[in-house]
Amino acid sequence: SEAPHAEGASLRTVLGEHVAQKGSLVGPDRLRFDFAHSKPLTDEERAEIERQANAVIRQNAPVSTRLMGYDDALKAGAVALFGEKYGDEVRVLAMGDPLADNADAPAYSVELCGGTHVARTGDIALFIIVSEGAVGSGVRRLEALTGEAARLHLAGEAERLREAADVLKTTPAELPARLAALLEDRKGLERALAEAKKQLATGGGGASAETPEDVAGVAFLGKVLDGVAPKDLRSVADEFKARLKSGVVALVGVNDGKAALVVSVTDDLTDRFSAVDLVRAGAEAVGGKGGGGRPAMAQAGGPEGAKAAKAVEAIAGALKAAA
């Protein structure tokens, strides 16, 4: 098939002359093309490669082959795709009329090749890229479909688009906007749920919702909070600390079986107790290591959420030992 030649030419035109073929696998209606390039294709580059290849296909131009001397072929602009050793005489394949991007070339693609080919570019019918990714350092792999396989692929994607639109009770054209609106609604609901969980965790804002215990003369408020996200623990701790005026707050949030810990120490006690030391004691109880922050606020985590209560006890124990 001529598809690899159209693809190779469009890659060089869009990405630059540094693009060199590193291998290919060609079937009747699909192909795999490895090429030298240092980064993924952008959506715009991918679309432009397809546009150029299909523009040449629509020309339905005849494909010509001729035998000529190797040096003469290179002087004529032929590209040696495979980096192979060639004899004195080589087969040169030319296809397609030049596009605006390579208007000075004798043809859209002029390459050395020994394979079998179609008579006209239109015989390829259609070219679409279905995947692109890295296969090694500085080497990308592009996979594409042609002909009936390409048509069937596009028909399948169109059907899936219609099915998705039907589920959301909209049209395919309106589907992106509908999905964006649903995602925004979900973000709003998640924010509202997180705020409700925080209010529930703090007793709905009531000043007497939580009574701290006395640990070696220090007010200590330790709680296990199920379902409160790690990113929300700090604001909950801040609210509890504001109520305490003087003391230590230790919160352990449990989500998906994992524990997240926050320890907060009021400013008047940071010269006696470090939140970092206290949170590390709690992290050990839930299978974690370390913890970080500053004397007034520190965070840690551990994989054993079922031991959250023991983490609170460990923090209280460390507070008592340091008093």
Side-chain angles (χ1 to χ4, degrees):
S1 170
E2 260 59 48
H5 298 286
E7 181 178 26
S10 59
L11 280 166
R12 288 189 295 275
T13 302
V14 175
L15 303 180
E17 290 300 322
H18 67 279
V19 172
Q21 183 172 326
K22 296 296 183 180
S24 68
L25 179 65
V26 182
D29 54 9
R30 64 189 62 240
L31 63 99
R32 188 180 71 208
F33 191 94
D34 295 347
F35 59 99
H37 194 54
S38 60
K39 57 186 178 181
L41 300 182
T42 65
D43 291 342
E44 292 76 14
E45 289 170 339
R46 184 167 167 163
E48 180 61 14
I49 291 166
E50 285 187 340
R51 185 195 71 78
Q52 290 193 24
N54 282 295
V56 173
I57 290 170
R58 288 194 303 273
Q59 292 173 357
N60 197 28
V63 176
S64 67
T65 60
R66 57 178 173 155
L67 296 176
M68 58 193 305
Y70 179 73
D71 291 339
D72 291 336
L74 295 183
K75 289 178 183 178
V79 177
L81 292 181
F82 296 93
E84 296 177 348
K85 294 182 179 179
Y86 294 91
D88 294 335
E89 190 174 61
V90 293
R91 186 168 182 261
V92 179
L93 180 144
M95 61 173 287
D97 298 325
L99 300 179
D101 305 88
N102 68 339
D104 295 332
Y108 182 72
S109 172
V110 181
E111 298 172 352
L112 306 185
C113 185
T116 57
H117 303 92
V118 297
R120 308 186 72 88
T121 61
D123 296 342
I124 302 170
L126 179 63
F127 171 89
I128 61 169
I129 298 170
V130 293
S131 71
E132 187 269 336
V135 292
S137 178
V139 179
R140 311 291 300 179
R141 171 168 293 171
L142 194 152
E143 296 185 79
L145 299 175
T146 61
E148 180 65 3
R151 187 195 70 79
L152 290 174
H153 177 83
L154 293 178
E157 291 207 330
E159 179 59 28
R160 287 188 287 274
L161 180 63
R162 286 191 292 271
E163 289 174 356
D166 288 344
V167 170
L168 297 180
K169 294 180 172 55
T170 187
T171 65
E174 296 295 325
L175 186 58
R178 177 67 172 146
L179 285 173
L182 286 174
L183 289 174
E184 190 59 36
D185 289 346
R186 176 175 175 171
K187 289 178 182 178
L189 290 172
E190 288 175 343
R191 288 192 293 267
L193 179 59
E195 186 59 31
K197 287 181 177 179
K198 287 165 57 179
Q199 290 295 322
L200 182 62
T202 58
S208 60
E210 297 293 339
T211 302
E213 61 179 299
D214 185 290
V215 176
V218 178
F220 175 74
L221 180 57
K223 289 195 67 175
V224 175
L225 304 176
D226 288 322
V228 176
K231 63 184 178 65
D232 295 323
L233 282 178
R234 183 167 178 168
S235 61
V236 175
D238 285 341
E239 185 169 341
F240 278 133
K241 186 166 71 171
R243 296 181 194 177
L244 280 183
K245 307 299 183 185
S246 177
V248 174
V249 175
L251 303 179
V252 183
V254 180
N255 284 278
D256 299 324
K258 298 179 181 179
L261 299 82
V262 169
V263 173
S264 186
V265 179
T266 56
D267 292 340
D268 62 307
L269 297 177
T270 53
D271 59 339
R272 296 174 56 195
F273 310 105
S274 170
V276 175
D277 295 336
L278 297 175
V279 83
R280 286 176 177 172
E284 290 181 5
V286 290
K289 292 183 179 180
R294 49 192 173 79
M297 173 75 75
Q299 296 175 277
E304 301 175 34
K307 297 181 179 178
K310 292 187 180 297
V312 174
E313 295 172 5
I315 295 169
L319 177 62
K320 185 176 182 179

